[in-house]
Each structure stands twice: as C-alpha cells, then as structure tokens.
C-alpha cells in the first residue's frame, strides 16, 4: 500500500513537471460529470474503430472535442490553481473549444462542397478560437514548449520575407494559414491526430486493462525472480521491470513514477547510494520509449510517417533495444562488482516457476498482441485483441482482486481516456508545425543547411542532428518529441543518404535520451525526487550509464542492418541481424568496461585505452574491424586477467607473511 501511495504522489509531481499545472483530483458532481465524459471518449473510440464507418475528419473532430473538455477540466491554468474543482475560466475555455469543434463538425461539408473551399469570416473566427484553445490546453497539460513552437511556426509562415537568407520565403496570409490548420486534413485534424484517435487510444486502453489485470505486479515479481539474486540484483530488477512496463506507458517520467517507488528503495537496501539508484531507474525507464512492441505509441506514428508496415518498425526496434538494455545490465554488473555488492537474499526471492504459475497467464495479452501484429493484422485489430484477452485472463488468475468486473472495466475505460489527453493535444498541436513545414519547405531548408554546414561529412551531420534532437525534445512526451524531430531533423539524414528507417530511429533515439540529458533531464529529476539524491548528479550518472546508448544510433546510421534494413532498403535476414547484434553487444561490453574503468580490478591506462579501441572497432560495421576488435580484445583481456591474478597472488602472499609474523 505504501508503494502504491508513493507511486501516486510521484505521478502528481510528474504531472506538475511535464504540464502547466498538474492533474486535478475533482470531487462530487464535477468528478462524476468528467468521468462520464471520459467514459464517453473511450466508448466513442471503441465504436468508431470497430463497428461504425465514419470519415476520418469527423472522427478526429469529435475526439478532439472530448479531449478539450477533459483537458481544461483536469489541468488548471496555473500550478497553484485549485486542484479540487473546475473554475469559471475553465468553463469559458471549454465552451470556446467546443464551439470550434462543433462548428467545423457541422460546416465542413458546407465549406468544401457548397462554398467550394471558399471560407468566410465566421469560419476564420472559429478557426482562431479552436487553435487558441488547443494551444492553451497543450500549455496546461504538456508544458509551454509545444505551444511556443507552434506559435513560432505561425510567425515564420506569416513573416517569411523578413527571415534572413535561405530561411526566407514569400509568406502566407493569416486567412490561408487558418484555412489550412482548421478546415483541411493537413493541420490539427491531420495524420498525427488520426493516429492518436485510432492506434494510440486503443493501445492506451490496452495498457490500462493490462495494468488493471495485475500485470504490473507480475512484471515486478518476475524481474525479482529472474535477477534479484544477481550481483546488484535490485538494479537489474529495475532494468527488467522498466523495460517491460515502459513500452506500454511510453513516458520515461511516468515509468519512473510507476516503478521507481518499488525499485529505488530496493536498490538502496543493498548499498547503492541514492544518486546511483535514481540514475539506474531513470536510464532503465528511458529505454522503455524505444522498447518494442509499442515504444510509447511512437511506433505507430513512425510507421505512418515512413509509409511502412507497423511490423517493420517493431522488427527494426528489437536489436537496438536489446543493445541498450544489454549495455545497462553490463554497466550495472561492473559497478556492482567494483563495489562488492551482493544480490537479494535467496529466501526473499520467489522462484520463476512459482511466479509464472501464479500469474504467468497475465503475459498472454502481450503474446496475443505481438502474435496478432506479426501475423499481418492491423494495430487496431491487435489493440482490440489485447483488450479482450486482458479481460479474459484477469479471470484466470488465483488473485480475485485482479478480475476485471463490469465496474472495474468502466473505471479502466475512464482512466484510459484521461491517459490520452497529453498525447492527443500533442498530436493535434504538432499538426500546426507539420502544416507550416509542408507549406514553407522548412524541412528541406534545414536539411540543406545542416548538410551545407557539415560539408557533406556524415559524421558531422550526425553530431549536429544529435544535438538538435536533444534540444528540441527536452521536456516532451514520446509522441510529441518524435513528431518534432521527425519533421525537422530526420530529412537532413535522409538527404545525406541514411536509410529512412535508420534516420527516424536516430532522431527518435536522441529525442528519448533528452530525458536523462542535463539540464532538462525530467526522468532523472523525477527519480532523484524518489531516491533523495542530488538531481544534477543523478542526471550525470544516468548519462554515464547510458553512454553505449549514445553510440548505438550512430551504429544504426552507418549500418542499417541493426534495424534489419539492407543497403537496398530491404528487410535483412535473421542471420545478418544476429551477427551484427553479437559483435555490437561485445563492443558495448568493451565500452562499459572502459567507461567504468573496471573488469576484474581497476584498469591501467593501457588497458583502458585498449578497451575503448576494441569498443569502436566492434561497433563499427565490417569484417576487418570485427576481427581486429576480437583479436585485440582477446589479447588485452588475457593480459588484464593475468595481471589481476599476479597482483592477487602478491596480496595473498603478503597477507600470509603477516599472519606468520604474528
């Protein structure tokens, strides 16, 4: 119970950090009304994605209307605003937002069919009202960055002739912008919102039902059973549990808030300090954003941007995600060895078979979802399959409290709808940015300038794009950060000749790593709030732990086999992927040894330089570099082990002499 309370408190803190004012806890009649609205949103999403044949534009409009009501009701205008009731100002905003969505809902056909896309003054008025309301609810729920970015995009589109050099353009009238943003499917009601109203909402509901079935407890118990006894076991538990839950939540900060109250005290109990415990949780939770099959819903948007099957995206994510978490496990093991840490007592650890016997059936929904996707079915079918299977398996466990009754299902639908607010407003708001980039050609301009500045050197291009992605993504949830970097930074890599899937993984990866990169490292700061460690030191330690994670995207860019893509853009074979994975993992192992300056004992300067060299030889694709790396690695590892044994023998001899002397 205490852990659950800590998780709830942390999530409230998390909301304060990510959004403008933190989510409200309404009471009485207002709470009941908003619960009905949230339930209506979930039921609408289920209905329109299953039985009802509705045009995309109308589905998006109605969905956004629901979300505007929920957003203004649950997120106050200011951090210090009343968290227990909806204010009069909120009601005015709700009316404004609803008026805009209702107007376009009933006038879309009139504007395009009757008036032949000739807008009138009242159309522009409601367009402005809707856009302002959308940016305000975005400010409240996900913070100031997306609204500011959208406003900058509008200013850039309006005043193009006044921008210097290649950034300048002819400019657009306000009327044309309002028409594009509000009265077409290329603005706020465009592709990104469509993904939110289909795939994302269904998988958020799936995650909510999976959590309601008791799967979160299973993930924690399974992680303890698998890794608890290992050296530094609780830290390994944090990695496994965060990997399992992070793919569903998609938010590094929410992942920390959910698993951190359990894993961080466990890590501290075996001797890890607050800084390191918080850093492990932050690093592990950040990896959830790149963990298939869901990747925090960014996988769906990535598939839409690239125009490829969703299966291609999740297959592409497997090796990079395994390398990331493999690097974390190795780094933690080396640190635990250096400190002489033990695992959890065997008596306190459940057996894997016992855990699976008691609740293993709760893994079936994940298997069903992955199997459905890999069989060629759409993510919508997979989402429904996951929801239905989660409800069924909840009745097959021994723990009766996990059973999803009618009442529990209603509450889960309500909670799931509330969980869509941030991602929906982000997807709708970024529609403004996408429209401006399309109209002005800004994406091509940025790509041209990055390539021009770098002189066409791919290594410099990758470094410039890396910094751009980290800066643009700071403080954003996974879907929003991916959309931003996909439309601004990815074109430069594709223009430079990088495989399109590799390019999108590169930008998304560094966007995700902004969660642990100072100065705006929200996941690290949230973890430090739980651990009691210094926020900035926690962030730097997480960065050190994730050092291999900063190398992996470069590996992907140079060798798209890591995302299962050949040089010709075709799907790579299993054997090709396996060979690259093994050599890359060995490279990550060498990099972790060099970074933490320890293997059997502290490295000397020659060994440390050698391990860095081995890492980069193995990380760089190619038979020659792999053979060189393996050869040098065998020599230096043997040398290190012999040196260690020699030193230990001397120490033992010296110790024996002292005993004899006594």
């Amino acid at each position: 119970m205490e852990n659950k309370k800590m998780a709830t408190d942390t999530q409230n803190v998390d909301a304060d950090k990510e959004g403008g004012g933190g989510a409200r806890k309404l009471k009485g009649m207002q709470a009941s009304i908003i619960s009905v609205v949230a339930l209506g949103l979930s039921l609408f999403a289920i209905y329109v994605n299953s039985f009802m044949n509705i045009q995309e534009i109308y589905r998006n409009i109605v969905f956004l209307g629901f979300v505007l009501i929920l957003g203004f009701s649950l997120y106050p205008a200011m951090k210090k605003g009343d968290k227990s009731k909806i204010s009069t100002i909120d009601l005015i905003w709700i009316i404004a937002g609803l008026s805009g969505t209702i107007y376009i809902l009933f006038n879309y056909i009139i504007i395009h069919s009757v008036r032949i896309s000739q807008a009138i003054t009242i159309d522009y008025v409601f367009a402005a009202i809707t856009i302002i309301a959308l940016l305000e609810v975005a400010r409240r729920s996900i913070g100031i960055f997306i609204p500011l970015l959208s406003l900058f995009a509008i200013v850039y589109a309006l005043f193009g002739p006044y921008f210097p050099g290649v950034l300048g353009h002819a400019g657009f009238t306000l009327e044309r912008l309002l028409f594009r943003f509000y009265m077409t499917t290329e603005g706020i009601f465009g592709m990104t919102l469509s993904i939110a109203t289909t795939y994302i909402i269904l998988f958020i509901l799936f995650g909510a039902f999976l959590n309601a079935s008791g799967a979160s407890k299973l993930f924690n118990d399974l992680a303890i059973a698998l890794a608890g006894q290992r050296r530094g076991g609780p830290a390994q538990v944090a990695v496994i549990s965060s990997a399992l839950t992070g793919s569903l939540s998609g938010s590094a900060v929410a992942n920390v808030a959910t698993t951190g109250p359990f894993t961080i005290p466990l890590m501290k109990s075996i001797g890890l300090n607050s800084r390191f415990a918080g850093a492990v949780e932050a690093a592990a939770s950040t990896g959830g954003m790149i963990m298939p099959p869901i990747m925090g819903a960014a996988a769906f948007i990535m598939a839409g941007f690239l125009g490829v099957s969703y299966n291609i995206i999740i297959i592409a994510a497997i090796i990079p995600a395994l390398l990331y978490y493999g690097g974390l496990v190795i780094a933690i093991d080396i640190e635990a060895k250096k400190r002489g840490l033990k695992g959890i007592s065997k008596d306190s650890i459940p057996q894997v078979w016992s855990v699976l016997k008691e609740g293993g059936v709760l893994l079936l929904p994940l298997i069903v979802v992955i199997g459905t996707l890999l069989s060629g079915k759409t993510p919508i079918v997979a989402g429904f399959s996951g929801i239905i299977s989660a409800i069924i398996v909840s009745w097959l466990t021994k723990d009766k409290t996990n059973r999803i009754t009618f009442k529990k299902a209603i509450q889960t639908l309500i909670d799931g709808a509330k969980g869509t607010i941030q991602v929906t407003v982000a997807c709708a708001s970024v529609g403004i940015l996408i429209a401006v980039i399309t109209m002005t050609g800004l994406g091509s301009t940025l790509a041209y300038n990055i390539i021009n500045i770098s002189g066409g050197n791919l290594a410099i291009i990758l470094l410039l794009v890396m910094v751009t992605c980290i800066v643009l993504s700071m403080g954003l949830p996974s879907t929003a950060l991916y959309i931003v970097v996909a439309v601004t930074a990815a074109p430069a890599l594709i223009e430079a000749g990088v495989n399109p899937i590799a390019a999108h993984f590169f930008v998304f990866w560094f966007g995700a790593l902004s969660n642990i990169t100072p100065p705006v490292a929200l996941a690290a700061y949230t973890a430090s709030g739980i651990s009691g460690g210094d926020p900035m030191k926690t962030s730097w330690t997480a960065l050190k732990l994730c050092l291999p994670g900063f190398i992996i995207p470069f590996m992907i860019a140079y060798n798209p086999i890591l995302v299962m893509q050949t040089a010709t853009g075709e799907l790579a074979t299993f054997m090709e992927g396996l060979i690259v994975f093994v050599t890359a993992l060995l490279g990550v192992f060498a990099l972790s040894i060099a970074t933490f300056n320890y293997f059997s004992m502290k490295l000397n300067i020659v060994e440390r330089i050698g391990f860095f060299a081995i890492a980069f030889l193995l990380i760089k694709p190619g038979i020659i570099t792999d053979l060189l790396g393996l050869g040098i690695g065998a020599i230096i590892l043997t040398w290190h082990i012999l040196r260690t044994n020699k030193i230990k023998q001397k120490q033992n001899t010296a110790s024996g002499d002292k005993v004899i002397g006594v």
Side-chain angles (χ1 to χ4, degrees), residues 143-159:
I144 194 65
F145 183 75
I146 286 288
L148 284 179
L149 194 61
S150 299
L151 289 172
F152 175 77
I154 293 170
V155 170
Y156 177 70
L158 288 172
F159 301 102

Side-chain angles (χ1 to χ4, degrees), residues 106-144:
F106 288 102
N107 287 277
Y108 183 79
I109 289 294
I110 294 172
I111 292 169
H112 289 279
S113 298
V114 178
R115 295 201 239 114
I116 317 175
S117 299
Q118 297 298 312
I120 57 177
T121 302
I122 192 67
D123 300 335
Y124 295 126
V125 170
F126 278 107
I129 290 172
T130 307
I131 291 165
I132 292 170
L134 173 62
L135 296 182
E136 168 58 13
V137 80
R139 181 193 68 81
R140 293 182 179 207
S141 59
I142 59 176
I144 194 65

Side-chain angles (χ1 to χ4, degrees), residues 234-235 238 262-272 276-278 280-281:
F262 166 74
T263 60
I264 289 174
L266 204 59
M267 284 186 269
K268 292 172 72 174
S269 71
I270 64 160
L272 287 172
F276 193 82
V280 168
E281 178 57 41

